[in-house]
Amino acid sequence: MAVSTTSDVKQRAEIITKTKEITAFLNWAADPHAQDRKQLGIYVIAYLLLLTVLLYFWKVQIWRKVH
């Protein structure tokens, strides 16, 4: 009985592993450029934050001269 239990555990582990691999592949196949978009999104957000800070300081400098 111990042999069948061990083989059942191995079979279940193999099935779980294959299921995870298939799921990962299908996720990639559905949207193969998702990782590239996420990486680009980080750069876009960083650029926009930097631009926001610079424009804020520029606005403060302009309004300082006005008042």
Side-chain angles (χ1 to χ4, degrees):
M1 277 195 166
V3 173
S4 66
T5 305
T6 304
S7 66
D8 287 344
V9 170
K10 287 181 182 179
Q11 284 179 345
R12 288 182 186 202
E14 185 178 338
I15 290 171
I16 290 171
T17 303
K18 286 185 178 183
T19 304
K20 288 180 181 180
E21 289 175 357
I22 291 170
T23 304
F25 171 74
L26 289 175
N27 191 20
W28 173 83
D31 193 6
H33 301 290
Q35 187 63 30
D36 296 334
R37 252 194 343 271
K38 287 180 183 179
Q39 188 174 3
L40 179 63
I42 291 171
Y43 290 120
V44 169
I45 295 296
Y47 171 76
L48 291 174
L49 286 172
L50 178 66
L51 187 63
T52 301
V53 169
L54 291 175
L55 289 174
Y56 173 76
F57 286 130
W58 188 37
K59 178 194 87 81
V60 169
Q61 184 180 11
I62 290 172
W63 280 99
R64 187 178 299 146
K65 292 176 185 178
V66 173
H67 289 288

